[in-house]
Every structure is written in C-alpha cells, then in structure tokens.
Amino acid sequence: MKYQRVSVNDAKQLLEEKSATLIDIRDEQSFQASHITDSQHIDNHSVADFMEAADKNLPLIVCCYHGNSSQSAAQFFAEQSFVEVYSLDGGFEAWQSTFPEHCSR
C-alpha cells in the first residue's frame, strides 16, 4: 500500500464529503496551541490505541508542521492496512493560512 499527497483544498473536501479521519502528529504543545478543527493528536504513546479503534476503511489524512514528517507517517499507516491514506501537503501551516476559520485553540 502507498499513501497519496493531498492539497489543503482537496483535504477539506475529503473531510466534508467522505467522513475522513484527520490526525495531527505534531508535538503536544503545538497541537494545544492550535490545530485543525476535529483533528486528533497522535503520538508514539497513542498510536496503538488509535489503530485499534480506527475505521481503516475511512480515508485517513496525516498532518504535521509543513507536510514532510507526515509522508513517512502516512506510509506507516498505509502499511497497517488503512485503505486510503493521505499526507497533507504543506501541513498545518498551509491549512492555517488557507482556512484559519477551521483551526481551534
């Protein structure tokens, strides 16, 4: 399995149309400071619980700071039997500059 890269505009459409799951792999402090509305924070301590509870048939979008770390994380999830996995191009920074109204604190 291989992940795909997705633009912030296409990711927003996936979230609206397909009930995609959005995970944020940035550090806890950055996530607490601001994050994409309805995203889940995932780190090394919570990844096993997330994988156990997640619907692997729903699209999964992985978000990091700038879209670099999310690529290797997306590949990891694709290898864990998630059917449709995306890495968010530009990461949280691109999302925040495009859709600031869809960010939470």
Side-chain angles (χ1 to χ4, degrees):
M1 295 294 298
K2 180 95 170 95
Y3 71 92
Q4 300 171 60
R5 294 171 64 169
V6 65
S7 70
V8 291
N9 290 311
D10 290 343
K12 185 173 185 288
Q13 189 172 355
L14 274 170
L15 290 165
E16 291 170 349
E17 293 178 1
K18 297 183 93 175
S19 301
T21 302
L22 176 62
I23 60 171
D24 188 324
I25 62 168
R26 296 175 304 143
D27 68 272
E28 180 71 31
Q29 285 180 315
S30 297
F31 182 81
Q32 292 301 328
S34 185
H35 56 271
I36 300 170
T37 305
D38 297 329
S39 63
Q40 300 176 50
H41 181 253
I42 301 295
D43 60 17
N44 290 339
H45 302 291
S46 59
V47 69
D49 290 338
F50 168 75
M51 287 194 308
E52 191 174 307
D55 183 343
K56 294 182 178 183
N57 293 312
L58 289 177
L60 176 66
I61 302 169
V62 183
C63 170
C64 65
Y65 295 97
H66 301 106
N68 298 318
S69 301
S70 59
Q71 292 181 51
S72 56
Q75 182 60 42
F76 168 79
F77 286 108
E79 292 168 357
Q80 305 304 311
S81 302
F82 282 81
V83 174
E84 193 176 340
V85 183
Y86 300 91
S87 170
L88 184 64
D89 274 349
F92 177 75
E93 294 298 321
W95 181 282
Q96 187 176 40
S97 65
T98 307
F99 304 115
E101 71 279 11
H102 292 286
C103 294
S104 302
R105 293 190 181 275

